[in-house]
PDB file of all heavy atoms in Angstrom:
ATOM      1  N   THR T  17       9.497 -74.770 -69.128  1.00 85.00           N
ATOM      2  CA  THR T  17      10.721 -74.306 -69.788  1.00 85.00           C
ATOM      3  C   THR T  17      10.439 -73.248 -70.838  1.00 85.00           C
ATOM      4  O   THR T  17      11.249 -72.378 -71.081  1.00 85.00           O
ATOM      5  CB  THR T  17      11.446 -75.484 -70.443  1.00 85.00           C
ATOM      6  OG1 THR T  17      10.466 -76.255 -71.135  1.00 85.00           O
ATOM      7  CG2 THR T  17      12.144 -76.326 -69.425  1.00 85.00           C
ATOM      8  N   THR T  28      -3.260 -81.483 -53.152  1.00 85.00           N
ATOM      9  CA  THR T  28      -2.569 -82.724 -53.474  1.00 85.00           C
ATOM     10  C   THR T  28      -2.254 -82.828 -54.954  1.00 85.00           C
ATOM     11  O   THR T  28      -1.634 -83.793 -55.364  1.00 85.00           O
ATOM     12  CB  THR T  28      -3.443 -83.918 -53.077  1.00 85.00           C
ATOM     13  OG1 THR T  28      -4.647 -83.850 -53.826  1.00 85.00           O
ATOM     14  CG2 THR T  28      -3.753 -83.900 -51.616  1.00 85.00           C
ATOM     15  N   PHE T  80       4.675 -83.339 -67.795  1.00 85.00           N
ATOM     16  CA  PHE T  80       3.447 -82.579 -67.544  1.00 85.00           C
ATOM     17  C   PHE T  80       2.740 -82.151 -68.812  1.00 85.00           C
ATOM     18  O   PHE T  80       1.624 -81.644 -68.750  1.00 85.00           O
ATOM     19  CB  PHE T  80       3.705 -81.396 -66.605  1.00 85.00           C
ATOM     20  CG  PHE T  80       4.701 -80.388 -67.077  1.00 85.00           C
ATOM     21  CD1 PHE T  80       4.350 -79.416 -67.993  1.00 85.00           C
ATOM     22  CD2 PHE T  80       5.988 -80.405 -66.587  1.00 85.00           C
ATOM     23  CE1 PHE T  80       5.261 -78.481 -68.411  1.00 85.00           C
ATOM     24  CE2 PHE T  80       6.904 -79.466 -67.005  1.00 85.00           C
ATOM     25  CZ  PHE T  80       6.559 -78.507 -67.925  1.00 85.00           C
ATOM     26  N   VAL T 302       3.836 -54.447 -51.330  1.00 88.00           N
ATOM     27  CA  VAL T 302       4.527 -53.599 -52.301  1.00 88.00           C
ATOM     28  C   VAL T 302       5.767 -54.348 -52.761  1.00 88.00           C
ATOM     29  O   VAL T 302       6.536 -54.838 -51.936  1.00 88.00           O
ATOM     30  CB  VAL T 302       4.942 -52.251 -51.660  1.00 88.00           C
ATOM     31  CG1 VAL T 302       5.643 -51.382 -52.671  1.00 88.00           C
ATOM     32  CG2 VAL T 302       3.745 -51.553 -51.099  1.00 88.00           C
ATOM     33  N   ASN T 416      -9.324 -47.735 -49.345  1.00 82.00           N
ATOM     34  CA  ASN T 416      -8.043 -48.322 -49.701  1.00 82.00           C
ATOM     35  C   ASN T 416      -7.651 -49.325 -48.635  1.00 82.00           C
ATOM     36  O   ASN T 416      -7.509 -48.974 -47.471  1.00 82.00           O
ATOM     37  CB  ASN T 416      -6.986 -47.232 -49.813  1.00 82.00           C
ATOM     38  CG  ASN T 416      -7.372 -46.202 -50.842  1.00 82.00           C
ATOM     39  OD1 ASN T 416      -7.906 -46.553 -51.891  1.00 82.00           O
ATOM     40  ND2 ASN T 416      -7.155 -44.950 -50.541  1.00 82.00           N
ATOM     41  N   GLN T 516     -45.424 -50.228 -57.882  1.00 50.00           N
ATOM     42  CA  GLN T 516     -46.060 -50.929 -58.986  1.00 50.00           C
ATOM     43  C   GLN T 516     -47.556 -50.656 -59.000  1.00 50.00           C
ATOM     44  O   GLN T 516     -48.175 -50.530 -60.038  1.00 50.00           O
ATOM     45  CB  GLN T 516     -45.815 -52.424 -58.866  1.00 50.00           C
ATOM     46  CG  GLN T 516     -44.570 -52.853 -59.607  1.00 50.00           C
ATOM     47  CD  GLN T 516     -44.132 -54.235 -59.202  1.00 50.00           C
ATOM     48  OE1 GLN T 516     -44.868 -54.943 -58.528  1.00 50.00           O
ATOM     49  NE2 GLN T 516     -42.957 -54.616 -59.623  1.00 50.00           N
ATOM     50  N   LEU T 699     -21.531 -88.373 -67.134  1.00 43.00           N
ATOM     51  CA  LEU T 699     -21.632 -89.118 -68.380  1.00 43.00           C
ATOM     52  C   LEU T 699     -22.634 -90.248 -68.278  1.00 43.00           C
ATOM     53  O   LEU T 699     -23.192 -90.675 -69.266  1.00 43.00           O
ATOM     54  CB  LEU T 699     -20.261 -89.668 -68.752  1.00 43.00           C
ATOM     55  CG  LEU T 699     -19.213 -88.568 -68.939  1.00 43.00           C
ATOM     56  CD1 LEU T 699     -17.854 -89.176 -68.989  1.00 43.00           C
ATOM     57  CD2 LEU T 699     -19.501 -87.795 -70.193  1.00 43.00           C
ATOM     58  N   TRP T 778     -13.935 -81.495 -86.881  1.00 54.00           N
ATOM     59  CA  TRP T 778     -12.635 -81.378 -87.540  1.00 54.00           C
ATOM     60  C   TRP T 778     -12.330 -79.951 -87.981  1.00 54.00           C
ATOM     61  O   TRP T 778     -11.208 -79.587 -88.180  1.00 54.00           O
ATOM     62  CB  TRP T 778     -12.571 -82.333 -88.741  1.00 54.00           C
ATOM     63  CG  TRP T 778     -13.732 -82.121 -89.683  1.00 54.00           C
ATOM     64  CD1 TRP T 778     -13.766 -81.288 -90.747  1.00 54.00           C
ATOM     65  CD2 TRP T 778     -14.989 -82.736 -89.606  1.00 54.00           C
ATOM     66  NE1 TRP T 778     -14.972 -81.335 -91.352  1.00 54.00           N
ATOM     67  CE2 TRP T 778     -15.749 -82.245 -90.666  1.00 54.00           C
ATOM     68  CE3 TRP T 778     -15.565 -83.684 -88.748  1.00 54.00           C
ATOM     69  CZ2 TRP T 778     -17.066 -82.655 -90.896  1.00 54.00           C
ATOM     70  CZ3 TRP T 778     -16.862 -84.082 -88.992  1.00 54.00           C
ATOM     71  CH2 TRP T 778     -17.605 -83.569 -90.056  1.00 54.00           C
ATOM     72  N   CYS T 796      -4.679 -86.650 -84.288  1.00 75.00           N
ATOM     73  CA  CYS T 796      -4.947 -87.278 -85.561  1.00 75.00           C
ATOM     74  C   CYS T 796      -5.953 -88.411 -85.399  1.00 75.00           C
ATOM     75  O   CYS T 796      -6.905 -88.520 -86.172  1.00 75.00           O
ATOM     76  CB  CYS T 796      -3.630 -87.798 -86.144  1.00 75.00           C
ATOM     77  SG  CYS T 796      -3.765 -88.199 -87.867  1.00 75.00           S
TER      78      CYS T 796
END
Side-chain angles (χ1 to χ4, degrees):
Chain T
T17 45
T28 61
F80 60 80
V302 180
N416 302 321
Q516 269 165 11
L699 300 167
W778 54 91
C796 195

